[in-house]
């Protein structure tokens, strides 16, 4: 009984360890699938065992999101990542001619599959050991619609909270599809400070209440800059009173 308990505890610790150190980047797409959207995703293996993943596209449909899974191409569909290594897979989505405007989505299913023996550099054989079977769906979004985003914003407020400065404003997406924008703040000294990136679906309004990173408590904000992440074009500048 004692030995069984020890084995159970060891197994649970392995689960926690493996799950905590399995990483993938990036985790978003948010691109124009009408012209063709490409992204490369990278697995990071910080465990002590090899990990093998099988990848597939699954449908996503909702009230305001259309499915794009049938247009997804993934290569390779099986990825093996050895300890301390990184490995990538590529994803491409092309909407057919005549696809409706709006927001689209797909799930990329990431499933860890059993790999009892894996060859490493053709020189040695590594046993996978007690690996954890992972099965997760990563939601990705794309769009068909206007190339240049349209946004409106309320008058920004910058308030002090302890030794931090917080930006408060509402951002309205007036575009006929989702947008991903980067928000920064320019000070009266003409330094630019990052607030962060946000996604807004079609017709979505966002309440922004975020710290202005690295902005000193004595700095004074002059304007808020909203930049489209995909095109890197500035779509809005709003003065701070």
């Amino acid at each position: 009984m004692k030995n069984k308990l020890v084995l159970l505890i060891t197994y649970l610790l392995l689960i926690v360890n493996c799950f905590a150190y399995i990483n993938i980047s990036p985790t978003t797409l948010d691109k124009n699938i009408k012209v063709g959207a490409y992204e490369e995703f990278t697995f990071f293996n910080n465990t002590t065992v090899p990990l093998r993943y099988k990848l597939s596209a699954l449908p996503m449909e909702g009230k305001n999101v259309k499915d794009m899974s049938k247009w997804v191409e993934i290569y390779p569909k099986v990825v093996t990542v050895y300890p301390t290594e990184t490995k990538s897979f590529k994803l491409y989505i092309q909407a057919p001619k005549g696809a409706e405007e709006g927001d689209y989505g797909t799930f990329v299913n990431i499933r860890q599959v059993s790999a009892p023996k894996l060859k490493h550099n053709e020189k040695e054989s590594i046993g996978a050991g007690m690996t954890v079977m992972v099965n997760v769906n990563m939601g990705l979004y794309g769009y068909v619609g206007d190339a240049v985003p349209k946004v409106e914003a309320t008058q920004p407020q910058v308030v002090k909270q302890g030794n931090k400065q917080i930006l408060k404003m509402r951002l309205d997406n007036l575009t006929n599809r989702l947008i991903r924008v980067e928000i920064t703040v320019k000070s009266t000294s003409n330094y630019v400070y990052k607030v962060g990136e946000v996604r807004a679906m079609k017709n979505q309004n966002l309440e922004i209440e975020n710290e202005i990173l690295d902005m000193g408590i004595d700095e004074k904000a002059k304007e808020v800059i909203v930049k489209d992440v995909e095109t890197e074009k500035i779509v809005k500048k709003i003065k701070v009173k």
Side-chain angles (χ1 to χ4, degrees), residues 158 160 165 184-193 212 215-225 238-241:
V158 176
K160 296 180 180 181
Q165 298 213 53
T184 55
V185 170
K186 180 182 281 189
S187 72
T188 53
S189 303
N190 289 324
Y191 289 104
V192 176
Y193 298 94
I212 306 171
M215 185 169 172
I217 198 67
D218 296 323
E219 281 269 34
K220 184 173 176 58
K222 180 169 67 174
E223 66 179 357
V224 174
I225 302 168
I238 316 108
K239 289 185 179 180
V240 178
K241 287 187 177 179

Side-chain angles (χ1 to χ4, degrees), residues 47-234:
T47 74
T48 57
V49 295
L51 302 170
R52 177 176 287 175
Y53 300 100
K54 185 175 181 181
L55 309 163
S56 59
L58 299 179
M60 177 197 291
E61 282 192 90
K63 184 178 179 181
N64 300 312
V65 179
K66 306 175 184 68
D67 178 45
M68 63 180 182
S69 62
K70 52 189 173 294
W71 307 325
V72 175
E73 298 177 29
I74 299 173
Y75 180 82
K77 290 184 169 58
V78 177
V79 179
T80 301
V81 196
Y82 293 96
T84 73
E85 282 190 346
T86 62
K87 285 287 181 65
S88 299
F89 69 91
K90 300 173 177 63
L91 180 143
Y92 182 77
I93 307 174
Q94 174 77 63
K97 187 177 180 179
E100 294 181 12
E101 292 181 344
D103 298 339
Y104 288 79
T106 185
F107 289 110
V108 173
N109 179 253
I110 304 171
R111 182 162 58 93
Q112 185 180 332
V113 294
S114 179
K117 287 289 182 180
L118 300 173
K119 290 183 179 180
H120 187 49
N121 296 331
E122 302 296 328
K123 294 179 181 179
E124 58 181 325
S125 181
I126 301 177
M130 293 182 65
T131 57
V132 181
M133 303 308 292
V134 177
N135 192 343
V136 297
N137 290 329
M138 179 172 65
L140 299 178
Y141 296 93
Y143 68 85
V144 173
D146 293 337
V148 181
K150 304 180 188 72
V151 299
E152 286 295 340
T154 58
Q155 183 69 48
Q157 288 183 298
V158 176
V159 298
K160 296 180 180 181
Q161 292 184 5
N163 61 351
K164 300 177 181 179
Q165 298 213 53
I166 308 296
L167 172 67
K168 294 184 178 183
M169 61 184 284
R170 194 185 75 203
L171 188 69
D172 300 339
N173 180 13
L174 305 183
T175 324
N176 59 3
R177 46 81 171 181
L178 69 84
I179 62 171
R180 176 172 285 276
V181 294
E182 179 189 66
I183 301 174
T184 55
V185 170
K186 180 182 281 189
S187 72
T188 53
S189 303
N190 289 324
Y191 289 104
V192 176
Y193 298 94
K194 189 170 183 178
V195 176
E197 292 183 7
V198 294
R199 176 203 291 132
M201 308 301 284
K202 179 181 176 181
N203 298 324
Q204 186 178 7
N205 304 324
L206 298 178
E207 294 293 337
I208 309 295
E209 188 172 340
N210 294 72
E211 179 186 354
I212 306 171
L213 302 175
D214 301 319
M215 185 169 172
I217 198 67
D218 296 323
E219 281 269 34
K220 184 173 176 58
K222 180 169 67 174
E223 66 179 357
V224 174
I225 302 168
V226 181
K227 183 173 73 173
D228 180 41
V229 171
E230 187 174 12
T231 63
E232 297 188 346
K233 291 182 179 179
I234 294 173

